[in-house]
Amino acid sequence: MTIVQLGPPTVPPPALSKRRHSRQIQVGRIPVGGGAPISLQSMTTTLTADVNSTLQQIAELATSGCQIVRVAVPSQDDVSALHAIARKSPIPVIADIHFQPKYVFAAIDAGCAAVRVNPGNIKRFDDKIKEIAQAATAAKVPIRIGVNAGSLDRRILDKYGKPSAEALVESALWECSLFEEHGFRDIKISVKHHDPVVMIRAYRLLAQQCDYPLHLGVTEAGPAFQGTIKSAVAFGALLAEGIGDTIRVSLSAPPVEEVKVGNAILESLGLKERSLEIVSCPSCGRAQVDVYALTEQVTAALEGFPVPLRVAVMGCVVNGPGEAREADLGVASGNGKGQIFVKGRVIKTVPESQIVETLVEEASKIAEAAGVNIGDDTPHIPESMAA
């Protein structure tokens, strides 16, 4: 007899494809490349010179699951703030440098975990590479060569006529070659484009031509909905092929939203241990419950739950019992009632008005059985949802 294990997997599911081999660099305490777990990045939106606001936002990002954070350094005031930010940040800080090569040295001296440079818009950058390589080597600070479609080097742009995939890759590898001349190879590369099709092609080409770790990003992806779709499509295609060592979802939205989307993408591909996963039906004419409202209520009540949990919220008897049975916790609703499932077994039937409350109670029991003391993290039903 075949035994089907229900509930969360004991080990992560296998990746869709073998990870591309890349050399490993160290960004602060986070290993990048070389088989290390894919890391999640974001970028602050505060003025870097405002140390307290920047550190507050970094703390929020870290709490949301961000592992590496980038801060903009467009002015001397921002440079002056780097030391305090790098020292107090709970996660490694990357200094984002444009236009002024002298800020690269300042960021290294300030203790930043890495420096991102955009060769396309730093004047006389190539002339400074020997000095940058020496300083970075001495401090053990890696460099991210970040090529963007919107700020491609004029020489490359003139050659190709537009920021094509080939143009992005040539620009990145050219800069890498200049560092390599001085024995520096602690490099991470990004070749970002706003079009996911071009971006995917660029990273595929890049993956074939070097062994540097790659930072994935769809630049200027747009507002939350559009940017989420673009990023999910592009990252999904590349990560499923084993390409990518770090990711950053770029949204015209608060950076915490970027981290949420990034986490969801990695979890969906089995590249990160999942947290709360809601399996819910899209509703149809068979539904005998307001699936939309019920799903929102369950999601809100269990937000931040400290134990990985798959919860099924289903609205009819066709797929409801099956999906609820395969989840850690679930409900199959109909006729004003809900059948509550725990680890594949119906434990009770409750009135529709008690479904959310019951699911919260059972989730707490699952956490306790797993030896997790949820304490103040006990899920609760907001007053607006109470019966």
Side-chain angles (χ1 to χ4, degrees), residues 353-375:
S353 61
Q354 295 178 18
I355 288 175
V356 179
E357 174 187 349
T358 305
L359 290 175
V360 167
E361 291 174 354
E362 297 302 325
S364 298
K365 292 178 183 177
I366 290 174
E368 292 170 4
V372 177
N373 181 10
I374 58 178

Side-chain angles (χ1 to χ4, degrees), residues 293-310:
L294 182 59
T295 301
E296 288 180 0
Q297 291 169 9
V298 172
T299 302
L302 293 175
E303 184 177 6
F305 193 68
V307 175
L309 203 63
R310 180 182 289 118

Side-chain angles (χ1 to χ4, degrees), residues 123-201:
K123 295 180 179 179
R124 302 185 63 80
F125 177 75
D126 291 355
D127 296 342
K128 297 290 185 179
I129 283 182
K130 180 179 180 180
E131 296 174 57
I132 292 173
Q134 291 172 340
T137 298
K140 297 182 179 179
V141 172
I143 300 290
R144 170 152 79 91
I145 295 175
V147 178
N148 270 27
S151 52
L152 195 61
D153 182 271
R154 173 53 58 183
R155 175 181 60 84
I156 301 290
L157 195 57
D158 288 344
K159 176 180 177 180
Y160 287 93
K162 61 180 180 180
S164 63
E166 292 79 5
L168 295 172
V169 171
E170 181 173 325
S171 177
L173 292 180
W174 166 254
E175 298 301 332
C176 287
S177 72
L178 298 181
F179 277 98
E180 290 165 357
E181 288 178 3
H182 304 289
F184 186 83
R185 289 180 172 82
D186 283 346
I187 295 170
K188 178 172 60 173
I189 306 177
S190 63
V191 282
K192 296 185 178 183
H193 198 286
H194 67 272
D195 185 336
V197 175
V198 178
M199 176 268 200
I200 291 170
R201 175 168 170 74

Side-chain angles (χ1 to χ4, degrees), residues 310-344:
R310 180 182 289 118
V311 181
V313 181
M314 306 299 293
C316 81
V317 297
V318 175
N319 295 319
E323 291 288 358
R325 190 174 291 113
E326 293 297 323
D328 304 309
L329 178 63
V331 60
S333 309
N335 294 322
K337 301 177 182 179
Q339 274 191 322
I340 305 298
F341 290 74
V342 176
K343 302 293 184 179

Side-chain angles (χ1 to χ4, degrees), residues 17-77:
S17 181
K18 184 178 179 181
R19 288 278 298 280
R20 161 186 172 268
H21 173 75
S22 64
R23 66 174 60 239
Q24 187 170 100
I25 63 172
Q26 196 75 22
V27 180
R29 65 176 183 275
I30 305 295
V32 174
I38 295 167
S39 56
L40 184 58
Q41 300 189 22
S42 187
M43 187 171 183
T44 56
T45 57
T46 57
L47 290 175
T48 303
D50 186 342
V51 174
N52 290 336
S53 295
T54 300
L55 285 172
Q56 175 62 38
Q57 190 170 77
I58 291 174
E60 293 169 356
L61 289 168
T63 300
S64 299
C66 183
Q67 296 163 287
I68 300 172
V69 67
R70 185 155 48 107
V71 299
V73 189
S75 73
Q76 183 58 50
D77 288 341

